[in-house]
Amino acid sequence: MAYIVDMRSDTVTKPTKAMKHAMVNSALGDDVFGEDPTVNALESKVATLLGKQAALFVPSGTMANLIAIMVHCNKRGSEAIVGRESHIFQYEQGGSAHLAGVLLHPMKNNPDGTFDLAEVESLIRGSDVHEPITSLVCIENTHNKCGGKVLPLKWLDECAALCKRHSIPLHVDGARLLNASAHLEVAPERLVRDCDTVYICFSKGLSAPVGSALAGSYHFIEQARRMRKMLGGGMRQAGVLAAAALVALEEVAPRLPLDHKRAFRLAKVIEGLFLKSFSVDVANQHTNIVLVRIAAASALSADAVLQRLEQVCLAETQGDCKTTNDEGVIVKGIPFDNKTIRLTTHNDISDEDLWLAIMKITYVFKELDAAHPF
């Protein structure tokens, strides 16, 4: 069988041995009653880590974002300003409108994940009876669709100051906030110092099987707990899951710089192939997400390239071109659009896995570049 290097996402990781041990041996209680000691310990740890008064363990990041929007935008006719490329706008099924009755006002994202703050200020509405009420600004750090970019500290400070001037809460989709912290070498608390609410994800990059934590003020978390119950996110003996998240913070979070180094190595190799069809922005490679751009003039598509990466040709190892799945290497990635491929490093990608992926990608990219000149 072919050896598979799965780089589709940092969510494909398996729990570590320490996580499995902690899950089996965790102290448990009914978390809806606030009686699960492991969940309580996790929430306390996350609140301290992020410099907030309290935190709430939830099943997913999508629910964390939805809860934040529901609590902050609690008047009918509210809107939230978000990036056009944000996870909230792109990948959460319009839940803000469908479930919370909140209008999303999308802003154009810059390549680094930021957006124009002067434009944000000009878009703030609510004084006119014809308009919705701007009740929230949401940002994403790191920014997934912009290639795992880390938002600049100066921009974060300016964004928070703008929101405070207008008394508008600022929420951070921090699914990969700890990656941002590792890249900038500053504490997570600093990244969200002036933000009202933030969530972090334990199953993206941290190898836990499931779960996120939403943090904010005592009052916010009190309201968030009500929203979690209404959405069906009230779990009972949830310490089984929280135990893995605690291990993730202690064991896996410190290893995130290794994921970043491996992603940078991969990006450098692809850049060093000097192919017309494929490019990577190495200069702005921040964290564990590598975006491979396919030249607009090329006939190649992201789907076609990914299909080839999942095929094994005997020429790769034996010099004879017959398609087989009995040996060789398969690399899995995902398409972001017709001309963009995402490859993601994570805790289950070792140096050997990376080397095998590089060999496969090099072979396939050269093959496709030669077969599709333009």
Side-chain angles (χ1 to χ4, degrees):
M1 295 294 292
Y3 187 85
I4 298 174
V5 182
D6 194 341
M7 306 182 82
R8 288 174 296 170
S9 176
D10 48 8
T11 63
V12 301
T13 52
K14 303 298 190 297
T16 65
K17 289 182 180 179
M19 287 179 189
K20 293 176 182 177
H21 177 81
M23 292 169 76
V24 170
N25 295 283
S26 56
L28 302 177
D30 191 319
D31 181 49
V32 174
F33 294 145
E35 296 174 355
D36 191 299
T38 308
V39 172
N40 293 342
L42 174 65
E43 292 174 344
S44 177
K45 186 176 184 66
V46 170
T48 300
L49 179 71
L50 300 176
K52 303 303 177 189
Q53 291 179 342
L56 180 70
F57 186 49
V58 297
S60 71
T62 295
M63 184 181 285
N65 281 332
L66 179 60
I67 288 172
I69 290 169
M70 293 175 76
V71 174
H72 288 305
C73 303
N74 55 13
K75 294 180 181 178
R76 293 184 67 83
S78 291
E79 72 171 358
I81 294 175
V82 301
R84 190 179 300 162
E85 304 301 330
S86 67
H87 194 280
I88 289 173
F89 187 68
Q90 292 280 348
Y91 300 118
E92 297 181 7
Q93 291 192 28
S96 300
H98 190 76
L99 300 172
V102 176
L103 172 70
L104 293 182
H105 194 137
M107 292 274 305
K108 179 184 177 181
N109 280 109
N110 297 319
D112 64 354
T114 64
F115 39 70
D116 189 311
L117 294 179
E119 186 180 354
V120 170
E121 193 154 29
S122 73
L123 293 175
I124 293 173
R125 303 189 285 179
S127 58
D128 190 314
V129 295
H130 301 87
E131 300 171 340
I133 302 168
T134 304
S135 303
L136 180 65
V137 173
C138 300
I139 58 178
E140 186 175 330
N141 198 15
T142 65
H143 200 292
N144 173 36
K145 204 164 184 194
C146 290
K149 295 295 190 299
V150 177
L151 302 182
L153 276 176
K154 183 174 184 293
W155 185 87
L156 285 170
D157 292 344
E158 291 172 353
C159 184
L162 183 155
C163 290
K164 281 183 169 53
R165 282 200 306 274
H166 293 275
S167 300
I168 297 172
L170 178 61
H171 172 66
V172 183
D173 177 338
R176 297 181 176 92
L177 187 79
L178 299 189
N179 290 88
S181 172
H183 175 73
L184 292 177
E185 297 183 334
V186 299
E189 178 182 358
R190 170 63 183 91
L191 298 179
V192 296
R193 181 187 64 191
D194 301 315
C195 305
D196 296 275
T197 55
V198 55
Y199 98 84
I200 60 173
C201 183
F202 305 116
S203 60
K204 283 183 177 173
L206 298 183
S207 291
V210 66
S212 294
L214 178 62
S217 68
Y218 291 126
H219 177 70
F220 171 84
I221 292 301
E222 181 182 14
Q223 298 304 307
R225 193 175 296 276
R226 291 183 62 84
M227 296 300 104
R228 183 186 71 173
K229 188 72 175 83
M230 182 176 67
L231 293 172
M235 300 178 285
R236 299 298 177 173
Q237 287 71 40
V240 171
L241 301 174
L246 281 166
V247 174
L249 292 175
E250 293 294 331
E251 178 188 73
V252 184
R255 301 178 189 171
L256 290 176
L258 289 176
D259 296 340
H260 300 178
K261 288 178 182 177
R262 288 169 179 145
F264 184 78
R265 197 180 312 159
L266 173 60
K268 283 287 289 181
V269 168
I270 295 172
E271 180 192 51
L273 297 176
F274 300 106
L275 301 175
K276 291 180 67 178
S277 302
F278 304 97
S279 64
V280 177
D281 184 8
V282 175
N284 294 300
Q285 177 63 45
H286 289 179
T287 55
N288 64 322
I289 294 173
V290 178
L291 294 188
V292 182
R293 309 286 187 183
I294 301 170
S298 172
L300 290 166
S301 68
D303 285 334
V305 174
L306 289 169
Q307 279 184 352
R308 178 62 187 91
L309 285 170
E310 292 194 29
Q311 295 171 347
V312 176
C313 179
L314 288 180
E316 297 170 27
T317 55
Q318 298 181 17
D320 184 17
C321 195
K322 287 186 179 180
T323 300
T324 179
N325 283 318
D326 294 332
E327 57 183 10
V329 176
I330 286 172
V331 174
K332 292 187 175 184
I334 62 171
F336 258 5
D337 56 45
N338 191 47
K339 293 289 185 179
T340 308
I341 293 168
R342 187 184 79 168
L343 300 169
T344 308
T345 55
H346 49 75
N347 193 47
D348 285 358
I349 299 289
S350 65
D351 284 335
E352 181 182 1
D353 292 326
L354 180 66
W355 180 83
L356 290 171
I358 285 173
M359 294 299 102
K360 175 73 173 194
I361 289 167
T362 298
Y363 184 93
V364 169
F365 281 15
K366 285 183 175 180
E367 173 190 88
L368 295 177
D369 190 67
H372 297 83
F374 59 93

